[in-house]
Amino acid sequence: MVTIKKSLHLLAAVLFALSPMASIANNDTIQQENTVHVEETATAVETTETVDSHSEENAEKSNDQFVKEFIDHHLMDDHYYSFFGDRELHRHYGFALPIILLDNGVKVFMSSEDFVYNGKVVENGGQYYKYYHGKIYEVNGPEGTIEYNEDHKVINKMPMDFSITKNVAGLLLASVLLFLGFTALAKTYKNGPNALPKGIARGLEPLVIYVRDEMAKPNIGAKYKQFMPYLLSVFFLIFLLNLLGLTPLGLNVTGNISVTVCLAMFTFLYTNIKGNKDYWKHIFWMPGVPVPMKIVLAPIEILGMFTKPFSLLIRLFANITAGHSVVMGLIAVGFIMQEALSTPGAVGISFALSLFLTFLEILIAFLQAFIFTMLSSLFIGSAVQEHDHH
């Protein structure tokens, strides 16, 4: 029986780590660079030099557009893993990712810079596909015509997209790192209760104890052990993904709404599936409360079941996205100031501010993992604890 429980916990942990992958591939709604930017540049060149005000306005718009593109490039999910790009040459440097489509069978091919950024049409199994504004559409032929309806909405067929996107690659990387780290920690415990962890395991053990003693035990109580696999998984996954987002890898996994939705959904499921009869009684028919108040409070409590996970997903998504936007925006502004003022020190000032905010983001990375795990343990604890109605 113990072996079966351990197997179920392991299966739940694997499903928890992999569940956001399918939803991420269909979540990329940020527009990519396209011919509109080229047309705006051409228009600016054709503008006469006699109107200085218009030239300054175009330059200002260009700078604003540069900052926006710089931030969006970091925040967006992508079917091509791009580390950085050259705005003048319209080049992106990175590597291709697998495109997996379900459309009259499974269609698999590798993305490319031309497919994602330059509008190249790809043929696979006699069908043609084009990447347009962050989504993959089926087109009629190699010319790659995108059709619109009366409301100027694309009417081309969209195949089911299960591609390995940039954020999915980040999730896989984090899963591998966590597996290696906790495997090393588990090997240490096999040597006896008094064995000292070494290497990365020495850094993981205090955090494991912290989650157990400061979150699980106080909030859940005697039943905390059965929820430790989930709480440890969610804490370390969020913390590691937040840290990877501060590296030159350019990942923004926890700033993707589909990821935070899946994480909050697991907390919602754990809370309501494991909830005892007292938990449901306090939602639908509160003991010790007059009947008219029970009728009034029941809909509020039912609504509260959904607002709790909603607050989890919005808090994590908003804080990580805002932090990354500020850091990347300061870096972009530094380059604009150097170009506009011909001041070499502008980049240094921007770099210093960005470095300070990056250290602050490290603290935020831990705080967001802590808050998500703490609130999850609170919600689970409220659902499994026994109430005294005397």
Side-chain angles (χ1 to χ4, degrees):
M1 188 66 182
V2 174
T3 304
I4 294 175
K5 287 184 177 180
K6 290 184 177 179
S7 300
L8 290 176
H9 285 316
L10 177 61
L11 179 60
V14 172
L15 292 174
F16 162 76
L18 298 181
S19 63
M21 294 181 182
S23 59
I24 291 174
N26 297 301
N27 189 59
D28 182 17
T29 57
I30 302 177
Q31 296 184 354
Q32 311 290 324
E33 292 180 335
N34 49 41
T35 54
V36 176
H37 177 72
V38 178
E39 294 173 0
E40 290 176 353
T41 305
T43 303
V45 172
E46 295 173 358
T47 305
T48 57
E49 298 179 355
T50 56
V51 187
D52 294 335
S53 60
H54 288 285
S55 299
E56 293 175 359
E57 182 180 355
N58 288 336
E60 184 179 353
K61 288 183 179 180
S62 178
N63 290 339
D64 293 342
Q65 185 68 17
F66 171 74
V67 174
K68 183 179 183 302
E69 291 177 358
F70 195 83
I71 296 173
D72 287 348
H73 174 74
H74 175 74
L75 295 180
M76 68 182 179
D77 194 9
D78 207 343
H79 288 73
Y80 182 86
Y81 201 118
S82 175
F83 292 102
F84 61 92
D86 192 319
R87 185 171 61 152
E88 295 180 356
L89 299 178
H90 297 282
R91 289 289 309 277
H92 293 80
Y93 301 91
F95 57 88
L97 294 170
I99 301 292
I100 305 172
L101 305 176
L102 187 60
D103 184 26
N104 296 326
V106 179
K107 306 294 174 63
V108 181
F109 56 93
M110 297 298 292
S111 66
S112 65
E113 182 184 359
D114 290 335
F115 174 71
V116 174
Y117 296 106
N118 298 329
K120 178 183 177 181
V121 177
V122 171
E123 186 272 335
N124 188 280
Q127 294 174 280
Y128 296 88
Y129 300 99
K130 184 173 182 177
Y131 195 81
Y132 184 69
H133 286 183
K135 298 178 181 178
I136 300 176
Y137 295 93
E138 184 179 342
V139 292
N140 294 326
E143 65 278 0
T145 304
I146 298 294
E147 301 177 355
Y148 302 89
N149 59 11
E150 298 175 351
D151 299 326
H152 200 68
K153 293 182 179 180
V154 178
I155 60 175
N156 293 65
K157 178 183 176 183
M158 287 183 60
M160 292 290 293
D161 190 355
F162 296 92
S163 303
I164 305 299
T165 62
K166 188 175 182 179
N167 284 343
V168 174
L171 271 173
L172 292 174
L173 174 61
S175 300
V176 170
L177 293 177
L178 289 177
F179 177 79
L180 295 176
F182 280 98
T183 300
L185 184 59
K187 289 180 179 178
T188 300
Y189 292 143
K190 288 182 179 180
N191 298 328
N194 297 324
L196 294 177
K198 299 179 180 179
I200 187 64
R202 183 171 295 181
L204 292 176
E205 186 180 46
L207 292 176
V208 172
I209 296 174
Y210 182 78
V211 172
R212 183 194 67 185
D213 294 344
E214 301 297 330
M215 302 182 201
K217 281 186 177 181
N219 297 321
I220 300 177
K223 298 180 180 179
Y224 79 93
K225 287 186 178 180
Q226 62 178 307
F227 300 104
M228 279 296 292
Y230 171 68
L231 295 178
L232 288 174
S233 297
V234 72
F235 175 81
F236 282 98
L237 182 65
I238 294 175
F239 187 35
L240 181 57
L241 289 174
N242 289 347
L243 292 179
L244 290 176
L246 301 177
T247 65
L249 294 175
L251 294 172
N252 183 44
V253 182
T254 45
N256 189 303
I257 192 68
S258 64
V259 175
T260 60
V261 166
C262 287
L263 294 175
M265 188 181 300
F266 269 92
T267 296
F268 176 78
L269 293 176
Y270 260 94
T271 301
N272 292 283
I273 291 177
K274 292 293 185 177
N276 55 28
K277 62 180 181 180
D278 286 335
Y279 169 72
W280 293 108
K281 185 183 296 184
H282 277 76
I283 290 177
F284 292 103
W285 205 250
M286 290 184 178
V289 177
V291 173
M293 291 302 299
K294 291 180 179 180
I295 298 174
V296 174
L297 292 176
I300 299 175
E301 290 295 325
I302 295 173
L303 180 62
M305 292 170 53
F306 299 95
T307 57
K308 290 176 182 177
F310 183 77
S311 66
L312 285 179
L313 71 93
I314 290 297
R315 181 184 290 106
L316 179 59
F317 166 74
N319 280 280
I320 298 302
T321 301
H324 286 200
S325 299
V326 172
V327 172
M328 301 305 293
L330 282 174
I331 295 174
V333 168
F335 285 101
I336 291 175
M337 290 176 61
Q338 181 181 14
E339 182 179 354
L341 305 176
S342 300
T343 306
V347 173
I349 296 173
S350 177
F351 177 78
L353 290 174
S354 301
L355 186 63
F356 170 75
L357 287 177
T358 300
F359 281 112
L360 187 61
E361 280 291 301
I362 296 176
L363 175 62
I364 294 175
F366 173 81
L367 285 177
Q368 290 305 314
F370 167 79
I371 292 172
F372 194 101
T373 310
M374 175 65 78
L375 291 178
S376 295
S377 65
L378 279 171
F379 298 156
I380 294 172
S382 66
V384 300
Q385 67 180 352
E386 299 294 337
H387 298 274
D388 186 3
H389 300 298
H390 294 292

